[in-house]
Amino acid sequence: MKIIRTLPSMTAWSERLRREGVTIGFVPTMGALHDGHRSLIRAARLQCDALVVSIFVNPTQFSPTEDLAKYPRPIAKDRSLCRAEGVDVCFEPTAQAMYPEGFQTVVTVPAITKLWEGASRPHHFGGVAVVVTKLFGMVRPHVALFGQKDYQQAALVRQLVQDLNLGVKIQIRPTVREQDGLAMSSRNVYLNTDERMIAPWLSRALRAGKQAIEGGMKDGAAIERSMRKTIEQAPAIQVEYLALCDPDSLEPLTRFTRRAVILGAIRIGSIRLIDNLLVNVPGGKNRAR
Ligand code: AMP
C-alpha cells in the first residue's frame, strides 16, 4: 500500500491510472477507522480496480468549540486496516497543504444543510462541501462511497456532485451497527461505560418510530411523541431532534404515505450522537409540512 501525503503526487497517481483505463474508487474518512468504514472500503474494493482511502481530520468542519484537537488519530492502526483490506493508496494530506494561506473559496448547498445538523453545527457543512470538492479534484475517482450514518452529509454530496457536474458516481452504503444497535462512530470512544450503556437508546427510539409508521400510524407529531417517549426511558439523554423527514429534501413531514427518513441527534453529557433510519411505506405521496 502506498502512503501519499502531497497533493500533486495524489493527482499524478490518479491521472496515470485514469489514462490506463483503471477504475478508481474512493472512500474519504477522518480516520479512527471502524467496521463502518471497513464496509465502505470492502464495497469499493469489490467494484473498482484501484482504491484510495483518504484520512484527513478536516479542521474546517469543526467549530472552535468542537473536538478537533482531541479527535482520535490512531494512524498506525488505520493504515494496517487499509492494508488488510487491500487499499492501494492511503491519502493523508496535511491541513497546511489543504488550506494554505490565502485559501478563500466557500461551497454552499443551502437548502439541504439548513436544518438538523446544519442548524446545530453552522460551520459544519461548509467545511464538508469544500473538503469533498477538493478531495474529488485531487483523487479524481470514478466512484466515491459514503455512509448512510451521516444522512444529511450524503444528501449534500449527492447534490454537490449533481450541481457542479463533478463526474463522480456517489454510492451510499447502509449504517453498520454494534450488536445493541448503536451506530458505529469514531466518536463512540468518547463514551464512558455508563454513557455507552445508554447510547443505543437513540437507535431504539428510531426503531420505535419506524415500527409505528410500518404499523400504519400516519400522524407525524404522534410518531415523534412515541420516539421521545421511548428515549425518555433512558436517563441523562438530551434529545436535540427526532424528526420525520422527506428522504430527498430533508424537510419535515407531517404524514407518511410513501418514504421517509427519521433523523435523530442526542447529547449524552458533552457527547453528541446522530443516527437515522429510512422507512418505506407503500403507496401514496409525501406531503411536506
Ligand atoms: P468519518 O470518518 O466519520 O468522516 O466517516 C467517513 C465515512 O464513513 C462517511 O461517509 C461516513 O458516513 C461513513 N461512516 C461512518 N460511520 C459509519 C457506519 N457506522 N456505517 C457506515 N458508514 C459509516
Side-chain angles (χ1 to χ4, degrees):
M1 184 181 75
K2 219 172 151 67
I3 293 165
I4 297 185
R5 295 186 64 86
T6 72
L7 283 35
S9 15
M10 183 67 249
T11 307
W13 184 88
S14 290
E15 281 297 300
R16 182 173 56 76
L17 264 63
R18 286 183 79 102
R19 276 198 301 276
E20 292 167 7
V22 168
T23 318
I24 301 173
F26 179 40
V27 178
T29 82
M30 297 210 300
L33 304 180
H34 50 65
D35 283 351
H37 300 108
R38 195 195 298 272
S39 77
L40 300 180
I41 293 171
R42 284 191 177 166
R45 185 67 281 173
L46 285 173
Q47 57 188 300
C48 300
D49 305 320
L51 175 54
V52 179
V53 171
S54 63
I55 297 180
F56 179 58
V57 183
N58 176 36
T60 63
Q61 67 191 67
F62 290 75
S63 78
T65 59
E66 288 180 339
D67 55 344
L68 174 64
K70 70 166 191 175
Y71 196 85
R73 291 170 170 85
I75 191 65
K77 209 167 142 237
D78 288 347
R79 284 178 185 161
S80 66
L81 185 150
C82 289
R83 215 169 272 123
E85 295 299 335
V87 170
D88 296 295
V89 168
C90 206
F91 180 37
E92 302 170 13
T94 63
Q96 179 56 36
M98 289 290 275
Y99 302 110
E101 221 181 291
F103 185 93
Q104 55 176 294
T105 298
V106 291
V107 183
T108 315
V109 189
I112 277 174
T113 61
K114 179 183 64 180
L115 298 169
W116 322 123
E117 288 306 282
S120 297
R121 306 177 67 194
H123 289 75
H124 181 63
F125 286 125
V128 171
V130 165
V131 82
V132 168
T133 310
K134 282 179 70 75
L135 288 169
F136 283 0
M138 289 176 278
V139 176
R140 318 238 167 128
H142 295 86
V143 54
L145 290 85
F146 291 82
Q148 187 193 316
K149 157 78 172 38
D150 299 284
Y151 192 93
Q152 200 172 2
Q153 169 176 284
L156 171 157
V157 172
R158 273 205 171 117
Q159 187 74 42
L160 181 72
V161 166
Q162 183 182 313
D163 290 349
L164 300 183
N165 310 93
L166 296 183
V168 181
K169 193 174 143 214
I170 302 300
Q171 235 180 59
I172 313 298
R173 308 290 307 179
T175 302
V176 177
R177 299 176 180 280
E178 303 286 356
Q179 281 201 336
D180 58 9
L182 175 66
M184 289 192 181
S185 163
S186 306
R187 289 189 163 98
N188 290 352
V189 297
Y190 299 154
L191 297 164
N192 67 29
T193 314
D194 292 343
E195 292 164 341
R196 176 63 189 81
M197 292 268 286
I198 58 172
W201 281 97
L202 172 56
S203 67
R204 284 176 204 146
L206 298 176
R207 276 206 309 278
K210 182 175 162 119
Q211 279 160 8
I213 298 169
E214 287 171 346
M217 201 187 267
K218 298 267 194 240
D219 175 351
I223 294 161
E224 287 182 13
R225 275 198 303 278
S226 87
M227 291 195 289
R228 279 180 184 267
K229 228 171 115 193
T230 303
I231 216 161
E232 274 162 15
Q233 294 174 58
I237 289 185
Q238 276 176 278
V239 175
E240 268 197 21
Y241 58 82
L242 279 170
L244 306 156
C245 306
D246 180 277
D248 301 316
S249 70
L250 304 192
E251 289 291 327
L253 293 169
T254 48
R255 291 187 65 76
F256 301 85
T257 49
R258 189 174 53 99
R259 242 157 45 91
V261 61
I262 312 177
L263 300 176
I266 59 168
R267 272 184 192 280
I268 305 176
S270 60
I271 300 154
R272 202 166 166 282
L273 300 175
I274 59 168
D275 199 352
N276 66 83
L277 277 184
L278 276 164
V279 190
N280 273 311
V281 183
K285 281 205 166 87
N286 281 338
R287 180 156 15 116
R289 214 172 249 174

